[in-house]
Amino acid sequence: MPELPEVELYARYFARHALGQTIVGVRLLDARVAGTRKLGSLRGSQFHRVSRHGKHLFAQSGGGIWLHIHFGMTGDLEYYRDDPPRFARIIFDFADGAHLAYVDMRLFGVVDLTPSPESYIREHRLGPDPLQLRLPEFRRLIERRRGRIKALLMSQDVIAGVGNLYADEALYRASVDPRRAANSLGDDDVKRLFAAIRGVLREAIEFKSRGRDYPVRFLVPHRLEGERCPRCGGTVRRTIVGGRTTYFCRTHQR
DNA sequence: AGTACCACCTGACGGC
DNA sequence: TGCCGTCAGGTGGTAC
């Protein structure tokens, strides 16, 4: 599930529920989501800052070390007082008796410690976060690339945070065919795509933070082969691009 | 540089 | 009811 907008909401959720609480225990219920560093060293400290880069969440602890969470396909956070949620894999126990669970049905996520977000970003060669990006840099990142534009948008070393769903969404909004080579886009295409990526991500954060569903003008509610495009009446097609299931409107995406 | 395929996991859903 | 295939919004490795 989690792409940039979802992780942004998780970061806000983490800030709301976990900052300033004293950690009295860290329980590892399934070692397969733990990284190499021992989370037990967080005991006795507090988180006092949260940040996000792409799909990655970072929380600084009192010791100066940072918690790093990547949510994989099914990662989530749940703050609770009584019963732990289903698929809880790591539980942070707080001094006031409440808990924060890292939940992950499919176990593709990772919870680890890192010296700083900057060092993590460097070591894992993450590209810039699209909400911090400006047009000239975006242009530079994609103009000479020969791969398909959708595959490029999903490459975390090019832009960090866009996954399968929002890549489709941005290309749909920008009227660009996901199968086109990146270097075949004209300057107008690049400008529209840049605005579309940022617009789609910002709007998703906005309506999700209000607990609302995807608007009908988004592609997401129409991710079905043969569905009508709400924008032009064309037909929604399903195909594979970059190894992932891709939906696009064959009429207005060119 | 770009792509295709496999692997890592668990669960939901449709067909028979 | 149950078994089977298919699919799922992610990523890393390998091989071509």
Side-chain angles (χ1 to χ4, degrees):
Chain A
M1 279 196 359
E3 299 183 36
L4 188 152
E6 291 75 28
V7 177
E8 174 63 27
L9 295 200
Y10 296 163
R12 295 179 187 182
Y13 186 85
F14 192 103
R16 195 157 5 118
H17 296 296
L19 290 192
Q21 298 230 49
T22 301
I23 303 156
V24 295
V26 182
R27 283 180 282 155
L28 185 55
L29 276 49
D30 195 312
R32 288 173 290 181
V33 297
T36 51
R37 294 180 166 97
K38 294 263 179 267
L39 298 175
S41 63
L42 294 170
R43 204 172 299 114
S45 66
Q46 302 186 346
F47 296 113
H48 46 75
R49 195 143 63 108
V50 178
S51 72
R52 178 195 59 72
H53 185 94
K55 307 175 190 175
H56 300 259
L57 183 154
F58 301 92
Q60 190 177 32
S61 82
I65 198 140
W66 293 71
L67 178 73
H68 162 250
I69 304 180
H70 186 270
F71 294 88
M73 287 277 270
T74 52
D76 199 356
L77 295 175
E78 196 168 328
Y79 181 75
Y80 70 96
R81 291 197 171 271
D82 302 319
D83 300 320
R86 196 179 175 198
F87 307 121
R89 310 298 191 188
I90 293 180
I91 296 174
F92 298 92
D93 302 314
F94 298 122
D96 71 347
H99 315 271
L100 183 72
Y102 172 72
V103 174
D104 192 348
M105 183 181 79
R106 287 175 74 184
L107 300 165
F108 289 166
V110 179
V111 180
D112 202 359
L113 301 176
T114 186
S116 70
E118 295 69 34
S119 64
Y120 184 90
I121 290 163
R122 208 181 319 118
E123 279 171 34
H124 294 263
R125 301 197 160 72
L126 294 180
D129 187 281
L131 296 184
Q132 312 291 326
L133 192 60
R134 283 177 304 131
L135 177 61
E137 193 184 355
F138 178 68
R139 195 183 277 128
R140 244 183 301 122
L141 286 169
I142 67 166
E143 64 187 350
R144 296 211 175 81
R145 306 293 296 262
R146 289 171 292 130
R148 297 174 190 238
I149 186 62
K150 176 177 175 182
L152 214 61
L153 295 184
M154 291 192 299
S155 302
Q156 300 301 297
D157 57 344
V158 176
I159 298 170
V162 177
N164 194 32
L165 207 73
Y166 291 102
D168 279 2
E169 199 63 53
L171 290 160
Y172 173 82
R173 180 175 294 197
S175 305
V176 173
D177 188 318
R179 300 165 296 184
R180 279 180 67 183
N183 63 5
S184 77
L185 301 199
D187 200 49
D188 285 355
D189 294 322
V190 173
K191 280 187 185 145
R192 278 203 320 281
L193 183 54
F194 178 70
I197 293 166
R198 292 164 59 90
V200 157
L201 296 173
R202 272 199 295 249
E203 287 170 37
I205 291 168
E206 182 62 20
F207 60 70
K208 285 184 170 236
S209 70
R210 292 166 188 266
R212 310 191 80 100
D213 225 336
Y214 287 92
V216 203
R217 66 193 155 80
F218 270 58
L219 175 62
V220 176
H222 312 283
R223 297 188 123 239
L224 263 182
E225 172 81 32
E227 187 88 349
R228 281 269 152 274
C229 167
R231 222 173 106 171
C232 76
T235 308
V236 173
R237 290 267 84 112
R238 176 192 156 125
T239 181
I240 303 289
V241 179
R244 311 295 303 280
T245 303
T246 300
Y247 293 90
F248 69 104
C249 170
R250 65 161 178 203
T251 306
H252 84 265
Q253 288 180 256
R254 296 279 157 178

